[in-house]
Amino acid sequence: MNTRTELDSLGEIALIDRISRAFGQPSQPETIRGIGDDAAVIDTGGPDYWLISTDMLLEGVHFDLAYTPLKHLGFKAVAVNVSDIAAMNGTPLQITVSVALSNRFSVEAVEELYEGIKAACEAYQVDLIGGDTTSSRSGLVISVTVTGRVAKDKITYRNTAQPNDVVCVTGDLGAAFCGLQLLEREKQVFLADPTMQPEINEEKAYVLERQLRPSARTDIVYELQDLGVVPTAMIDVSDGLASELLHICTQSKTGAVIFDENIPIDDVTYLVATELNVSPITAALNGGEDYELLFTVRPQEFEKLKNHARITPIGYLTDKPESVLLATKAGQYTQIKAQGWKHF
Ligand code: ADP
Ligand code: MG
């Protein structure tokens, strides 16, 4: 008898693992890295590797058109892909964009979406080189594939971190999650009483922008290069700090200790989180969609970064793979779990 396994009993990570194992090792000598990192890595000779990554955004799952401006959505669809190239320490080059559209959409609406895509192409200096257009019966789907390039000796994988490395994160975390919660709350208020005006003031604009129009940290890739630093490992924060730290630790076979008081959180995020009754640390650990970079450097290399305003050391790696810990100021340690991992 055939057995039936429910998708949600497995979760996304285990499912990808199963798919990956079924295909075994890549057969082409040019395929340096396949499934398992932020981008696949291809060697066509010469001093650089080529990178390729793809991400899909679905209406109703990843965005809600009730409060998502199409122009921002177009920008975000490109930025989240470019972020995966940045996570390999690479420079983005080209994108393809595929869209599935329902007849709910006007030509003007599609143009607005593409205005955002164009703005991102200009911001990240990538060329739109193709895609696919089809109709959809269930909502808008945007799938973007991005290519990039990185010098072979500067590539940053997830599985090459070492014990004693300093764990660093760029920018601040938790804002995008708080922005989403705020938008959801206002939507519910509006649905309950359409005459009510949304209560989002200027003060909270930061978290909304982080949710609706995130940036990829390509700037950090250039700055690391200028400082002469190659991280030992790097990943972008799409699913929350907890999940990404666990990816680095699991794949590098290390443990970690990070200090909650060091996790960079913006004042506006604190304000909104408090108002929403969410712990700011939980928003940073499990919220996701920040698209900052989480990376590790050798302790002696960290010296070169320590005065950088937008890079924060949050802890260090250990040689105890089973223990990935969050330390509080009071000296308590809790095991970090990946609540940010997506389930079906
Ligand atoms: P990210 O969060 O960086 O976009 P994902 O968690 O989406 O990464 O994917 C992790 C890895 O699994 C990547 O190497 C990605 O290419 C691969 N992957 C995801 N889904 C599939 C799939 N359906 N088939 C093959 N590989 C996949
Ligand atoms: Mg990624």
Side-chain angles (χ1 to χ4, degrees):
M1 205 179 82
N2 284 337
T3 51
R4 179 188 155 91
T5 312
E6 299 302 327
L7 280 174
D8 58 10
S9 73
L10 209 59
E12 180 188 334
I13 310 259
L15 179 68
I16 296 172
D17 234 35
R18 254 170 103 114
I19 295 171
S20 173
R21 266 184 281 126
F23 282 77
Q25 289 302 310
S27 62
Q28 300 291 346
E30 290 87 358
T31 313
I32 302 302
R33 184 68 53 102
I35 299 170
D37 218 303
D38 292 291
V41 181
I42 298 159
D43 186 0
T44 56
D48 292 344
Y49 284 132
W50 295 89
L51 304 165
I52 183 158
S53 183
T54 193
D55 256 310
M56 186 156 59
L57 297 180
L58 268 81
E59 183 179 349
V61 178
H62 301 100
F63 59 88
D64 187 331
L65 287 179
Y67 51 71
T68 309
L70 283 168
K71 193 172 168 185
H72 287 353
L73 182 63
F75 190 97
K76 180 171 180 174
V78 178
V80 303
N81 276 275
V82 167
S83 177
D84 277 320
I85 298 296
M88 306 303 290
N89 212 16
T91 308
L93 297 170
Q94 291 97 9
I95 55 165
T96 64
V97 176
S98 301
V99 287
L101 303 160
S102 69
N103 52 17
R104 235 171 2 104
F105 273 78
S106 62
V107 172
E108 288 74 20
V110 176
E111 279 173 353
E112 220 181 301
L113 178 72
Y114 271 82
E115 262 177 52
I117 292 173
K118 186 157 185 238
C121 283
E122 286 164 7
Y124 300 114
Q125 303 201 343
V126 296
D127 295 330
L128 172 67
I129 57 162
D132 195 18
T133 307
T134 153
S135 57
S136 162
R137 289 187 192 163
S138 56
L140 176 62
V141 180
I142 309 167
S143 176
V144 177
T145 297
V146 62
T147 67
R149 180 165 67 181
V150 57
K152 285 177 179 171
D153 58 354
K154 301 225 161 51
I155 192 164
T156 52
Y157 294 107
R158 293 176 178 180
N159 68 345
T160 40
Q162 297 168 46
N164 301 320
D165 282 352
V166 182
V167 179
C168 299
V169 69
T170 63
D172 59 84
L173 301 176
F177 176 78
C178 288
L180 179 63
Q181 298 309 307
L182 205 57
L183 290 163
E184 284 289 333
R185 186 187 72 180
E186 296 310 314
K187 183 186 169 188
Q188 294 315 319
V189 171
F190 182 76
L191 288 177
D193 177 3
T195 61
M196 284 280 287
Q197 284 301 307
E199 204 192 298
I200 296 173
N201 54 33
E202 275 294 301
E203 213 185 358
K204 297 170 185 164
Y206 178 65
V207 295
L208 299 180
E209 187 186 329
R210 295 278 287 172
Q211 167 58 222
L212 295 172
R213 195 183 179 281
S215 310
R217 301 312 303 265
T218 44
D219 55 336
I220 295 289
V221 173
Y222 290 114
E223 287 172 29
L224 286 173
Q225 191 163 2
D226 284 349
L227 292 165
V229 174
V230 180
T232 49
M234 187 146 71
I235 187 168
D236 69 327
V237 184
S238 53
D239 295 342
L241 176 62
S243 165
E244 316 303 355
L245 180 66
L246 282 163
H247 277 307
I248 287 185
C249 287
T250 310
Q251 294 197 27
S252 299
K253 302 186 175 64
T254 68
V257 179
I258 63 165
F259 300 93
D260 68 356
E261 60 182 320
N262 291 4
I263 297 174
I265 296 171
D266 190 86
D267 290 346
V268 180
T269 307
Y270 262 108
L271 184 92
V272 175
T274 309
E275 185 184 309
L276 293 166
N277 270 323
V278 178
S279 141
I281 294 289
T282 306
L285 283 172
N286 301 316
E289 292 201 281
D290 293 308
Y291 298 102
E292 294 293 341
L293 295 172
L294 176 71
F295 63 89
T296 55
V297 286
R298 299 304 298 153
Q300 57 273 26
E301 286 281 275
F302 177 68
E303 287 298 306
K304 298 181 196 162
L305 300 177
K306 70 177 182 206
N307 295 322
H308 195 294
R310 301 287 287 164
I311 294 175
T312 310
I314 56 168
Y316 60 91
L317 297 184
T318 68
D319 59 3
K320 299 184 188 64
E322 67 291 346
S323 116
V324 179
L325 303 172
L326 179 71
T328 64
K329 212 172 174 176
Q332 282 174 325
Y333 290 82
T334 48
Q335 186 78 26
I336 293 177
K337 296 190 190 79
Q339 276 142 11
W341 286 3
K342 282 168 265 162
H343 295 275
F344 291 95

